[in-house]
Amino acid sequence: MARVLVVEDDPPTAAEITAALRDHGFETECVATGGEAVTRASAAHFSAIVLDRMLPGDLDGLEVLAALRGRGIDCPVLILSALSAVDERVRGLRAGGDDYLTKPFESLELTARIQVLLRRGATEERATRLKVGDLEVDLITRRVRRGADTIDLLPREYLLLEYLMRHAGQVITRTMLFEHVWQYRYEPRTNVIDVHMGKLRRKLDEGGRPPMIRTVRGSGYVLRAAD
Amino acid sequence: MLFLALFGCASLALFGFIYWQTSRYLTSSVDERLQRDAQGYLANPDETAARLRKHVELDPQNIHPFGLFTRDGRYIAGNLTILPRFSPPLGRPFEYRQRTGGSLRPYRAFALRMAPNELLVLSESIYETDELRELLRNAMAWGGVFLLVVGLAGAVITGLGAVRRINAVTGAIERIVTGDLSGRLPMNRRAGDLDRLSLLVNRMLDDIERLMGEVKGVTDDIAHDLRTPLTRLLASLERARRRSEATPAPAAAEYERAVEEAIRETRDVLGTFNALLRIAEVEASARRAGFARVDLGTIAADVAEFQAPVAEEKGVALEFERPRPALQAPLALFGDPSLLFEAIGNLVDNAIKFTPAGGRIVVRAFAAKGRSGVSVSDTGPGIPEPEREAVLRRFHRLEKSRHTPGSGLGLSLVAAVARLHGLDLSMESANPGCRVTLSGRTSSP
């Protein structure tokens, strides 16, 4: 069971985060100050830390992060912040954060990102091919095959598929797809991502093959081996 | 009143000066004549008697009474028979009065010693000069009175006019303060100081009225745009409750659908709020800190690629053009790539929304001499000229597009992003359709 340390000083937000994580099967522990965060993280092992950027008292989020990394604690850290400026994000990631989420956020966005962070260490980064069910992607030649058939994908479609394959079985939100595949950061309100995903799906499921990409209620997708 | 006093003093000083100058001139000319005569007598002292006789013959009216007297005042010769009283020294002009022909007349005189025991007095009647002076004084007095009256009347009239104007202006301002923003300060046809001021204040009032109208419009629009989805949300939740009450065992699917719908509506409302906050954030230039060197051409290409499937689904051709050779003319810009992507994305999004199937959208990155940027043109209905300014405002939607989905905030965000980056946002007709251009001065390499 994965344990997540939530560092958040605002009780309602902390309760919201805790509830969302519990619903997705995480164990949680909640602290309200930077000092406590460092103490707890040093004392026990956590699978991931959700860290508020703005904390009251002597240590703010980035300082907590620096202290943790300084003590050799390298569990994934997701920074939460009300500051959306690009350089804030860059600063957060440079200080050792693994992901950055701007408040207000939807709970699915948070849990999906935590899942991805947890699994990141698990997927073999050096793999040259990914295989989910009968779908196979060659990371070097960028060739995609389903069963015996080769599937022609546009470059962007390939990137979408590769990202989903790397996180097969996990919920990936539209925002995550957009950030990873297009490398820009904002929340596109349009359903453009859905259209891209629709095209990818049609290509993957061509010829009446059972669908592999499922839409998750809210704003996400999961790729799984077809039953 | 102060003005009047100053005016009076000034005219008094002017009159005084004129009077003083004139009388001095008159007196000195008399003195000069006497002086000249005196020179004549002094030059030839022997001929005094003869000259005096001749003088008497030439001056029957006694305008110039000359007389020769002994030292103790006895008359010797001439037409001046009584030695006037005067105080020495000799050779200095003096004035006296003497009775001639029944009236006392003023004279100006000059006394000089001829022989050791003789005194010659040369004099001239200054009756006329005095008359002239009197006349001058009178004229000036009347002129002064006239001037004073006219001045006073003028001051009163202009003063009254000014008071009336100021009263009118005050009244207008009071009406405006109490809420009638359409009121304006009264203007005269004359271009006076007060009119210049009024003109300026009126222009300011125009601005304020427009801004107030905009704020009111935006508030109304926010209220309207948020009330509609919230009403729908409430309705669907109430329907779910009603049905669950009607059927003893509430259908899980029904509940789920209601919750689903509620989530969607709520997300839309939140989206509107987020968009508003983003515009405010961009407008406050809070994001300039995240600027980096970016290539507008690449961003535009990404947008075109990103939106292509949407256009395709709608049956609209989406093309991207960029200057060739691409590498030699990067549209370099110091900016926030995500904001620029979003702005261009909004333009393309709008273009797709308003272009009917079979239409064509061209996203073009250009780098002309001195100016570079991105333009998005479509073959949609276009934006009527008078509406072009308005579409940049928050929540503004063309009447005919009221029923297409969208918050009406897209172009406001584009405008805010353009301002943040110092880019110009322009709209023109593309015959048919609309071309929106984001462009800026080409930065030096």
Side-chain angles (χ1 to χ4, degrees):
Chain A
M1 181 56 55
R3 274 165 60 81
V4 177
L5 179 64
V6 178
V7 189
E8 168 65 66
D9 61 295
D10 177 44
T13 313
E16 199 60 49
I17 294 170
T18 313
L21 289 173
R22 291 225 169 109
D23 287 349
H24 284 81
F26 294 99
E27 267 180 49
T28 57
E29 189 174 327
C30 201
V31 294
T33 68
E36 280 177 89
V38 176
T39 317
R40 282 304 298 148
S42 310
H45 172 77
F46 289 96
S47 313
I49 298 173
V50 176
L51 180 63
D52 188 13
R53 168 81 174 74
M54 308 278 220
L55 287 171
D58 44 352
L59 290 175
D60 84 341
L62 293 191
E63 285 162 341
V64 170
L65 193 51
L68 292 178
R69 296 302 188 226
R71 284 163 198 231
I73 298 164
D74 58 355
C75 71
V77 173
L78 185 140
I79 301 171
L80 290 182
S81 173
L83 306 169
S84 67
V86 171
D87 65 332
E88 277 301 324
R89 169 186 288 273
V90 169
R91 221 188 305 166
L93 298 183
R94 220 172 261 161
D98 297 275
D99 203 351
Y100 190 103
L101 192 56
T102 309
K103 288 180 191 175
F105 51 86
E106 288 176 30
S107 59
L108 180 69
E109 196 68 49
L110 176 73
T111 51
R113 281 169 193 263
I114 294 278
Q115 299 270 21
V116 166
L117 287 180
L118 290 181
R119 280 282 297 280
R120 197 175 53 181
T123 40
E124 55 283 30
E125 292 285 327
R126 300 235 189 96
T128 57
R129 54 181 54 229
L130 300 171
K131 194 164 163 32
V132 177
D134 57 352
L135 185 63
E136 207 178 324
V137 171
D138 187 320
L139 296 177
I140 293 159
T141 62
R142 299 199 157 190
R143 237 210 330 237
V144 181
R145 298 167 63 88
R146 186 157 186 195
D149 302 322
T150 303
I151 299 171
D152 279 329
L153 294 181
L154 294 173
R156 209 62 83 167
E157 291 163 352
Y158 170 81
L159 291 175
L160 282 172
L161 180 63
E162 185 193 319
Y163 188 61
L164 286 168
M165 293 275 283
R166 279 192 188 277
H167 302 287
Q170 292 173 19
V171 177
I172 303 295
T173 64
R174 285 191 199 120
T175 314
M176 289 161 82
L177 284 174
F178 182 68
E179 282 178 10
H180 264 88
V181 174
W182 278 273
Q183 305 274 316
Y184 291 98
R185 287 172 215 291
Y186 80 96
E187 284 173 50
R189 293 189 65 203
T190 53
N191 56 349
V192 182
I193 307 258
D194 292 342
V195 178
H196 280 273
M197 288 301 290
K199 285 185 71 183
L200 175 62
R201 266 175 171 160
R202 277 195 295 279
K203 286 187 180 178
L204 292 182
D205 306 342
E206 211 173 343
R209 280 182 288 236
M212 292 187 70
I213 298 174
R214 194 167 62 83
T215 305
V216 176
R217 248 199 327 227
S219 49
Y221 297 95
V222 183
L223 180 128
R224 277 206 185 93
D227 322 304
Chain B
M1 239 35 235
L2 180 73
F3 170 74
L4 204 66
L6 279 176
F7 179 70
C9 283
S11 29
L12 211 66
L14 179 70
F15 285 162
F17 183 71
I18 292 172
Y19 178 75
W20 180 64
Q21 281 285 334
T22 317
S23 68
R24 218 176 67 137
Y25 169 75
L26 289 173
T27 311
S28 70
S29 65
V30 169
D31 288 352
E32 250 170 55
R33 263 199 304 281
L34 291 175
Q35 204 65 265
R36 242 191 344 266
D37 284 334
Q39 296 300 328
Y41 282 97
L42 282 175
N44 310 301
D46 304 339
E47 293 171 17
T48 307
R51 282 178 86 109
L52 269 177
R53 255 198 314 280
K54 201 166 167 203
H55 171 76
V56 171
E57 278 167 26
L58 286 173
D59 187 26
Q61 300 205 315
N62 260 7
I63 304 294
H64 295 92
F66 289 5
L68 190 64
F69 301 90
T70 59
R71 222 181 149 180
D72 46 356
R74 267 189 308 111
Y75 170 76
I76 300 174
N79 53 354
L80 179 66
T81 51
I82 302 158
L83 178 67
R85 273 198 298 164
F86 73 96
S87 43
L90 300 169
R92 179 181 290 175
F94 62 94
E95 280 172 26
Y96 66 93
R97 283 168 187 277
Q98 208 164 64
R99 193 163 288 280
T100 23
S103 59
L104 207 58
R105 292 279 168 95
Y107 295 92
R108 195 165 172 84
F110 214 120
L112 32 122
R113 191 177 303 281
M114 293 302 293
N117 278 324
E118 286 174 0
L119 210 57
L120 178 65
V121 176
L122 309 175
S123 58
E124 186 177 329
S125 164
I126 51 170
Y127 177 70
E128 277 173 19
T129 353
D130 271 12
E131 291 261 278
L132 194 63
R133 258 182 226 168
E134 180 73 24
L135 214 65
L136 202 63
R137 266 201 300 275
N138 277 340
M140 283 181 177
W142 284 113
V145 168
F146 177 71
L147 219 64
L148 219 63
V149 167
V150 167
L152 198 67
V156 165
I157 288 167
T158 44
L160 277 183
V163 166
R164 213 177 306 129
R165 287 292 304 281
I166 286 172
N167 281 346
V169 167
T170 315
I173 289 177
E174 263 164 11
R175 275 195 304 282
I176 293 163
V177 166
T178 52
D180 174 21
L181 268 179
S182 60
R184 290 294 177 270
L185 303 192
M187 299 278 296
N188 272 7
R189 260 155 291 149
R190 290 176 294 141
D193 287 341
L194 207 56
D195 285 294
R196 274 217 311 278
L197 193 66
S198 296
L199 190 72
L200 216 63
V201 171
N202 281 347
R203 233 183 276 157
M204 195 172 75
L205 285 169
D206 286 344
D207 264 359
I208 292 176
E209 193 185 9
R210 187 178 54 77
L211 287 173
M212 291 289 283
E214 257 172 50
V215 168
K216 191 181 169 303
V218 167
T219 320
D220 291 353
D221 285 339
I222 291 178
H224 180 85
D225 276 46
L226 294 180
R227 194 180 54 183
T228 312
L230 287 176
T231 310
R232 275 202 304 263
L233 173 61
L234 188 66
S236 89
L237 289 176
E238 278 175 347
R239 191 179 56 230
R241 190 179 58 187
R242 206 169 50 235
R243 292 197 183 159
S244 75
E245 278 165 359
T247 30
E254 183 71 32
Y255 256 142
E256 201 177 314
R257 213 166 53 80
V259 170
E260 197 67 46
E261 214 164 290
I263 288 175
R264 210 189 51 239
E265 295 282 8
T266 311
R267 193 171 279 150
D268 274 358
V269 172
L270 268 179
T272 302
F273 273 121
N274 282 341
L276 270 175
L277 287 172
R278 277 180 66 68
I279 293 169
E281 190 191 22
V282 172
E283 277 180 346
S285 300
R287 286 180 70 128
R288 199 168 290 208
F291 274 23
R293 206 143 194 97
V294 297
D295 176 27
L296 208 51
T298 307
I299 295 175
D302 286 345
V303 171
E305 192 263 352
F306 183 59
Q307 300 271 12
V310 184
E312 196 184 311
E313 242 183 21
K314 217 194 148 184
V316 174
L318 176 62
E319 289 160 26
F320 175 69
E321 292 172 6
R322 70 177 303 166
R324 251 176 272 250
L327 284 177
Q328 282 175 4
L331 308 174
L333 184 75
F334 201 63
D336 183 324
S338 294
L339 283 180
L340 289 167
F341 185 95
E342 193 176 351
I344 300 170
N346 281 354
L347 293 181
V348 175
D349 193 53
N350 275 344
I352 294 173
K353 220 179 276 171
F354 296 116
T355 306
R360 181 163 168 267
I361 295 164
V362 179
V363 179
R364 201 169 73 84
F366 63 91
K369 205 166 181 242
R371 271 197 107 64
S372 59
V374 175
S375 71
V376 177
S377 48
D378 62 50
T379 55
I383 299 170
E385 177 87 50
E387 294 256 29
R388 282 182 198 158
E389 187 100 355
V391 293
L392 299 179
R393 288 209 301 266
R394 266 158 241 202
F395 289 112
H396 184 91
R397 288 196 235 169
L398 300 184
E399 221 24 73
K400 49 191 159 187
S401 68
R402 262 279 155 202
H403 303 293
T404 48
S407 60
L409 291 170
L411 273 177
S412 302
L413 181 83
V414 177
V417 171
R419 255 199 308 281
L420 178 65
H421 287 85
L423 297 174
D424 295 323
L425 178 63
S426 62
M427 260 171 256
E428 60 206 320
S429 177
N431 285 325
C434 172
R435 173 162 45 238
V436 186
T437 308
L438 264 178
S439 68
R441 242 177 235 295
T442 309
S443 51
S444 45

